[in-house]
Amino acid sequence: MEKLLRVSLQVKILGLVIFLLLLVLSLVTFMVAYMESNEDVENAENLAVQTAITLSYMPVIQQSFLSDRPTDEIDHLADQIRDEVEASAINIVNRDGDIYGYAGPKKTEAVPIQDHYRALVYGSNYVLKTKDGDDQLLKGIAPIIIDYGDYKKVEGAVAVAFQMQSIHKEIAADIKKIIMASGTVFLIGIAGSIFLARSIRKDTLGLEPFEISALYRERNAVLQSVKEGMIAFDHNGTITMINLSAREILDLPDHIEDHNIHDVIRSPQLLDLVHSEKGIVNKELQYKDKTVIVNSSPIFSGYQRTGTVVSFRDKTEIRKMIDAISEVRQYSEDLRAQAHEFTSKLYVILGMIQLGKYEQAIQLIQDEAHTQEQVTSMFFREIRDEKVQAILLGKFAKASEKKINFTIEEGSSLDPLPSHIQLSPLIVVLGNLINNAFEAVAAQPAKDVSFFVTDLGNDIIFEIADGGQGLEDGVGERIFEKGFSLKGNDRGYGLANVKEEVDMLEGSIEISSRAQEGTIFTIILPKHIKKNT
């Protein structure tokens, strides 16, 4: 059934138009033909009666009946009238039924007196339908009334006959004209429907309705699934489409389709951008508390602008993604540095063996093994979360390469972290803080950085301490502001991202710093957060 309904638009329109035309034209043709046939019969009846009445009052006939002598002039007059009205026959009879005058194909000696009974007895004018063999006749009969001065008397009757076959031929000819006119209208309707279907297909780019509906559903599914905010509005500013991401980025309510964009977006700068005639690409704009990247593309039909499509991206999200990617890249580089360091040490050991300095080689191996045993023992015995282990191993390699003394403090312990603390936020938080600590001691004689973690109680506590110069007064209050940095331009996003990730995990950050003694960052993360309970 569904396949039968999936026919082309042209077939649907043609089918509907043909059905409606056939229905309407059939009804109209039937009604007009019925009315026309009745009108033709009625006209024939009126013509027969009026002709009979006219003949009955003609002087020639009146004088013939006064003198009681039929004349040839009556036949000549009847024949002339018959030709003019196209009657089949005209009979003029007296009261006894004798023929006074006749016009027609054959003359009879007498006519049925009962046909003229009402006219002869009552003086009535009337129409009568009779049969003459196989032919059906329509007769208009009128009395011949003679004025004798003192009185009037019906002396005869006039009968004007029309063949019903001739009337039916006229009716058929009229019906034929009606059918031809209906057929012309039918053909014009089909041609118009074909033109309409092609025009609609042109407007719909050759797509059938079911294809358009499928594309519409697919478009909605795609638009609602993308992370980029999308808004479309027409040339009047009425919103025709908006996806979920746009509502979230711009903090817009639900069900704002069919509203004017000026009623839902109050930012003049944003409205100026979205109404740009040439469109815009990757334009940054501060909207409320977010930095938004705006793209707009006007829609034109010919030279007339019919609408606009605008996309929005939250730059904060993009920055966070870039930072996460940077941290993952840094983690990868740390692991490569570790591999490079071990390779260098292996070459040193190989050189000692080749030089015969076996005791020095053995001592170097034992020292390195002892160091790795301490680190590995601490990792696998006390720090049992694989994500933290991976981050710290990378940082150990980086510290070794930079000649930084990076240690894990005694008493550190950590069980596997709760499921809501994922690798990405850990990379951002621990990676940024440890990297900052490494940078803080890079220029110090004693390059000491320590790491401490404990999960006793209801919270998980991380501490990263460095032996740097410490923070200046007042800096600690601004250090987490986005864009604020003591290291130069295009910096100041690392600690801001750390603060944002900690806030999302419903944790807190504490800073303890003393001049020339170093800084301690303490991260406190709850084991359970409200949105997961």
Side-chain angles (χ1 to χ4, degrees), residues 352-454:
M352 289 181 177
I353 293 173
Q354 289 176 342
L355 294 174
K357 298 181 179 181
Y358 303 114
E359 293 183 1
Q360 290 89 332
I362 293 171
Q363 184 62 41
L364 179 60
I365 293 172
Q366 288 176 345
D367 291 342
E368 187 63 29
H370 178 70
T371 302
Q372 292 302 320
E373 183 180 356
Q374 288 181 331
V375 173
T376 304
S377 175
M378 176 67 71
F379 278 175
F380 293 101
R381 187 180 69 250
E382 304 297 341
I383 301 176
R384 291 187 292 275
D385 185 82
E386 296 178 352
K387 298 186 288 293
V388 177
Q389 289 175 0
I391 293 171
L392 293 179
L393 281 173
K395 297 305 176 184
F396 268 110
K398 185 174 183 179
S400 177
E401 186 180 28
K402 293 180 178 293
K403 307 304 180 184
I404 295 173
N405 183 26
F406 182 44
T407 59
I408 298 177
E409 294 186 7
E410 292 291 336
S412 294
S413 65
L414 180 66
D415 288 331
L417 292 172
S419 59
H420 68 275
I421 303 178
Q422 299 296 318
L423 176 60
S424 179
L426 280 177
I427 291 175
V428 174
V429 174
L430 299 181
N432 273 295
L433 292 178
I434 294 174
N435 285 344
N436 284 348
F438 288 172
E439 291 180 6
V441 300
Q444 299 296 318
K447 301 179 180 180
D448 295 327
V449 175
S450 63
F451 175 84
F452 175 78
V453 61
T454 181

Side-chain angles (χ1 to χ4, degrees), residues 12 56 73 75 134 138 150 160 163 167-168 175 229 293 310 317 329 341 362 395-397 403 421 461 483 487 502 533:
K12 288 181 179 179
S56 69
E73 292 182 8
D75 290 344
D134 294 333
L138 184 148
D150 296 334
V160 179
Q163 286 186 338
I167 298 173
H168 290 157
I175 292 175
I293 298 176
V310 186
E317 296 267 341
R329 184 186 302 164
E341 182 187 2
I362 293 171
K395 297 305 176 184
F396 268 110
K403 307 304 180 184
I421 303 178
I461 300 174
K487 303 171 185 176
V502 171
T533 58

Side-chain angles (χ1 to χ4, degrees), residues 2-48:
E2 185 177 354
K3 291 183 178 180
L4 293 176
L5 294 176
R6 283 198 172 186
V7 296
S8 67
L9 180 64
Q10 183 168 331
V11 172
K12 288 181 179 179
I13 293 177
L14 276 176
L16 179 61
V17 170
I18 289 174
F19 172 74
L20 292 177
L21 284 175
L22 286 175
L23 178 63
V24 173
L25 290 177
S26 298
L27 291 175
V28 171
T29 301
F30 173 77
M31 293 176 63
V32 172
Y34 177 77
M35 295 169 64
E36 188 71 21
S37 63
N38 288 340
E39 185 178 357
D40 287 347
V41 172
E42 185 178 352
N43 290 338
E45 292 175 350
N46 293 333
L47 180 59

Side-chain angles (χ1 to χ4, degrees), residues 225-325:
S225 63
V226 297
K227 294 298 183 182
E228 191 170 10
M230 304 287 291
I231 296 180
F233 53 90
D234 61 19
H235 63 284
N236 294 320
T238 302
I239 297 174
T240 58
M241 184 280 302
I242 181 170
N243 67 352
L244 181 61
S245 297
R247 290 192 178 95
E248 293 176 351
I249 293 173
L250 302 179
D251 296 326
L252 299 177
D254 295 336
H255 310 297
I256 61 171
E257 289 83 354
D258 299 328
H259 288 69
N260 194 282
I261 192 168
H262 295 85
D263 297 334
V264 297
I265 296 179
R266 303 295 183 179
S267 171
Q269 295 85 355
L270 181 57
L271 291 174
D272 290 341
L273 290 179
V274 301
H275 286 300
S276 174
E277 288 293 334
K278 295 183 179 180
I280 55 174
V281 178
N282 294 333
K283 187 72 175 180
E284 289 190 19
L285 178 71
Q286 192 68 29
Y287 181 79
K288 296 183 178 179
D289 59 342
K290 299 177 181 177
T291 302
V292 181
I293 298 176
V294 184
N295 291 271
S296 73
S297 177
I299 303 171
F300 288 94
S301 178
Y303 294 100
Q304 183 178 3
R305 183 170 182 172
T306 58
T308 306
V309 176
V310 186
S311 65
F312 303 90
R313 286 177 292 170
D314 189 350
K315 188 177 180 181
T316 307
E317 296 267 341
I318 297 174
R319 175 66 66 179
K320 187 187 300 183
M321 180 179 64
I322 292 173
D323 289 342
I325 293 173

